Amino acid sequence: MGPNWKTDDDTVAPNPARTHVLRAATLSGILIFLLQSHEAICSAFDCNRDYVILGFGLIVLSAWLYGWKSLAYFLPGILLQAAMEGYSPSEMMSSADGHVLLVTICAPFAFTTMRWAGIDTEIDLSGCRRVWRLILLAGIMASAFALVLRSLLWDLFPTYAISFSIAYPTVLSDIAGLALFMLILIGIFKLIQQSE
């Protein structure tokens, strides 16, 4: 066999493991930044950190793009955030970061149930209005599923019991966070289109 010379025309196949590590590092890093930013904002303005989740939009969009892989991408960030806060397992589950973990599990499940219902959730940006409606519907479902999962965990973590006074502000703040995230993305897309 002769030498395996590499020419300029040869393309290097992407390394899947490296791609997944980069995605995990990027998404986990952005999530930690959003959670820390939210904590700083709530400290400054005396808001309830347990309800408004700035990372909710990021989690739902990542679930739309990457499916169940998004859980693996966010898990390092969630664990690092819990370590930085010094939470015990029960303390974490009763915190906003515990809700982030539940939403990270439930967001891919929301898209999966939509596919089971015959709704096409494939990534297609040609019909942008339809895409945003799908993502918003998935966000509502993910928030509701997270609350159901939270109530199922009541036996394991009694401090994590659910009530109506917890449920409706949580869903409203999740959807507000998702809508804000989508508006920012729409603005970025429009700026890119104008620059082209």
Side-chain angles (χ1 to χ4, degrees), residues 32-114:
I32 290 173
F33 172 76
L34 290 173
L35 293 174
Q36 291 293 322
S37 299
H38 180 66
E39 186 172 355
I41 291 168
C42 282
S43 298
F45 293 100
D46 194 28
C47 63
N48 191 336
R49 185 175 176 264
D50 290 341
Y51 292 147
V52 180
I53 307 298
L54 290 180
F56 185 80
L58 175 67
I59 292 168
V60 173
L61 284 170
S62 297
W64 176 59
L65 291 171
Y66 304 119
W68 286 100
K69 292 177 187 172
S70 64
L71 178 58
Y73 295 156
F74 284 118
L75 198 55
I78 293 169
L79 295 176
L80 182 59
Q81 171 73 8
M84 289 190 304
E85 297 291 335
Y87 288 136
S88 68
S90 61
E91 288 172 336
M92 180 184 174
M93 292 309 293
S94 61
S95 70
D97 298 329
H99 183 66
V100 169
L101 175 60
L102 297 180
V103 168
T104 303
I105 295 168
C106 293
F109 182 67
F111 285 105
T112 300
T113 55
M114 289 169 72

Side-chain angles (χ1 to χ4, degrees), residues 104-176:
T104 303
I105 295 168
C106 293
F109 182 67
F111 285 105
T112 300
T113 55
M114 289 169 72
R115 286 192 291 274
W116 288 344
I119 300 172
D120 181 17
T121 62
E122 290 300 314
I123 298 168
D124 178 16
L125 295 177
S126 60
C128 283
R129 287 187 180 178
R130 179 183 176 276
V131 167
W132 298 129
R133 287 174 187 162
L134 280 176
I135 293 172
L136 191 59
L137 174 60
I140 294 168
M141 292 170 64
S143 186
F145 290 156
L147 288 171
V148 171
L149 184 56
R150 179 178 182 167
S151 67
L152 293 175
L153 291 172
W154 184 81
D155 290 335
L156 296 175
F157 304 101
T159 59
Y160 205 44
I162 192 168
S163 66
F164 182 74
S165 62
I166 293 172
Y168 84 87
T170 302
V171 173
L172 289 178
S173 61
D174 284 348
I175 302 311

